[in-house]
Amino acid sequence: MYDYVIVGAGFFGSVFARRMTDAGSKCLVIEKRSHIAGNCYTDDVGGIHVHQYGPHIFHTNDEGVWNFVNQFARFSRFSYRPKVNFRGRMLSFPINLTTLHQLWGVKTPQEAEQRLAAERVPIESPANLEEWVLSQVGQEIYETFVYGYTKKQWGREPKELPSSIIRRLPIRLTWNDDYFNDRFCGIPEGGYTQLFKKLLAGIAVETDVDFLSDRSRFESLSKRNVYTGPLDRLFEYQLGAHDWRGLRFEQQVIQVPDHQGIAAINYTDAETPYTRCVEHKHFDPVQSDHTVITHEYPSDWKVGDEMYYPVNNEQGERLQQRYVAMLPDNYLIGGRLATYRYYDMHQVIASAMHLADKEISRRSGRILQIPEHASPIRRAA
């Protein structure tokens, strides 16, 4: 008999299992895939640690989360500085003074702000993503960085999308081209899979196991269940399926020491079918005569496909809340799939730590003092 059966061996399930095990609980982690680590899974391809589900750069301002993950891996100080290829023209990204100098020749923050002010399209009440971006940065930046990439990523015209998808378009009026501004940033040396092996050390883990194929048996093994999969699948799509965007990865081994000189290049034109090319050896540098690259192709999603980006809208949120209301009292949920939210890794870890702390307090009869910065977690009442 287990205290918790945990469905999913990604960051949420693994962190929760570690915290509860260290507190004296008995946990079983089951994973549908053939490997642990969820979408963070890295595989050794000829000595190069390949991020099989897209690049994952760990970054956070949360010192507690940073200290936690550093118990299980040593992190390199990797700085993510991707470039943009727009119809053969290479540009600095994220947009900063170097980018604006490349576009317009400006050299100071004042010159850049004056040019941006002149470029903005006056739109009093932007009604969609396209209008919002035009009102913020104008036509040239919109066409160069936003239009094609967004159309490929979401499979529809930007003017058909809500502005909430892009949320904000940061324009740095400095020469800083580091993608993340967090205090702590890096990639685990040896890859993420090694981190997860240490994270799950001493915990019962079963891979290639579909919880839903034998749900009654697994539920009988524990007092409480932690579910990190999609709720619509848990309830056999009784109320309908959520909408997601998919991804397809095409991986190549190339017999050259270095293919593109950087970890990632985004292709922002609408004509190139992929959104970026990733060269994995730049994440965890290794000397070799070959390299591994991956092209990422956004795709339409159907039930049964891997889920990558939730299509968050009012309809999807209402459906999610209806599924949450159906959860049995002994179910806890968390993570990207179960909450139908796109989260960074540090946010998932923080929420798993917070839920574990609540469970430890519940089991001991103590009242948990919840810090103001704690990440929210959706769970059954």
Side-chain angles (χ1 to χ4, degrees), residues 123-136:
I123 302 175
E124 185 173 342
S125 300
N128 54 57
L129 186 151
E130 178 177 276
E131 290 185 357
W132 187 87
V133 176
L134 290 173
S135 72
Q136 298 296 306

Side-chain angles (χ1 to χ4, degrees), residues 324-335:
V324 168
M326 294 170 63
L327 285 166
D329 289 341
N330 67 335
Y331 265 67
L332 308 172
I333 64 169

Side-chain angles (χ1 to χ4, degrees), residues 275-294:
T275 50
R276 63 180 167 182
C277 179
V278 175
E279 186 168 10
H280 300 271
K281 72 188 311 180
H282 293 285
F283 293 124
D284 194 0
V286 60
Q287 297 296 319
S288 66
D289 294 330
H290 72 283
T291 190
V292 182
I293 65 170
T294 302

Side-chain angles (χ1 to χ4, degrees), residues 173-337:
L173 301 186
T174 70
W175 302 99
N176 177 19
D177 65 348
D178 194 340
Y179 197 89
F180 302 113
N181 284 324
D182 301 81
R183 291 172 60 200
F184 309 106
C185 186
I187 290 178
E189 295 179 2
Y192 280 94
T193 302
Q194 296 305 311
L195 181 155
F196 274 83
K197 287 180 178 179
K198 293 180 180 178
L199 184 60
L200 290 167
I203 300 171
V205 178
E206 297 181 14
T207 56
D208 282 313
V209 174
D210 186 355
F211 170 78
L212 298 181
S213 68
D214 202 359
R215 179 175 173 178
S216 296
R217 182 176 73 85
F218 284 119
E219 288 179 333
S220 71
L221 295 178
S222 69
K223 302 170 185 176
R224 290 167 83 78
N225 301 287
V226 178
Y227 184 77
T228 71
L231 296 192
D232 52 2
R233 185 168 183 262
L234 177 67
F235 293 109
E236 299 178 329
Y237 308 103
Q238 291 178 32
L239 306 177
H242 275 310
D243 193 12
W244 298 80
R245 288 293 288 168
L247 282 177
R248 177 169 59 87
F249 302 97
E250 287 193 0
Q251 183 177 302
Q252 293 176 265
V253 177
I254 302 177
Q255 298 304 319
V256 296
D258 196 340
H259 173 69
Q260 62 185 23
I262 201 164
I265 297 177
N266 293 350
Y267 288 78
T268 58
D269 61 283
E271 298 78 26
T272 303
Y274 44 85
T275 50
R276 63 180 167 182
C277 179
V278 175
E279 186 168 10
H280 300 271
K281 72 188 311 180
H282 293 285
F283 293 124
D284 194 0
V286 60
Q287 297 296 319
S288 66
D289 294 330
H290 72 283
T291 190
V292 182
I293 65 170
T294 302
H295 289 102
E296 294 185 13
Y297 296 80
S299 62
D300 293 332
W301 179 87
K302 63 181 184 302
V303 172
D305 293 345
E306 292 287 352
M307 293 151 283
Y308 289 96
Y309 299 104
V311 181
N312 292 127
N313 52 36
E314 291 183 8
Q315 179 182 350
E317 181 61 25
R318 287 195 299 269
L319 181 61
Q320 173 69 10
Q321 292 305 317
R322 291 174 68 194
Y323 276 127
V324 168
M326 294 170 63
L327 285 166
D329 289 341
N330 67 335
Y331 265 67
L332 308 172
I333 64 169
R336 178 179 56 94
L337 298 180

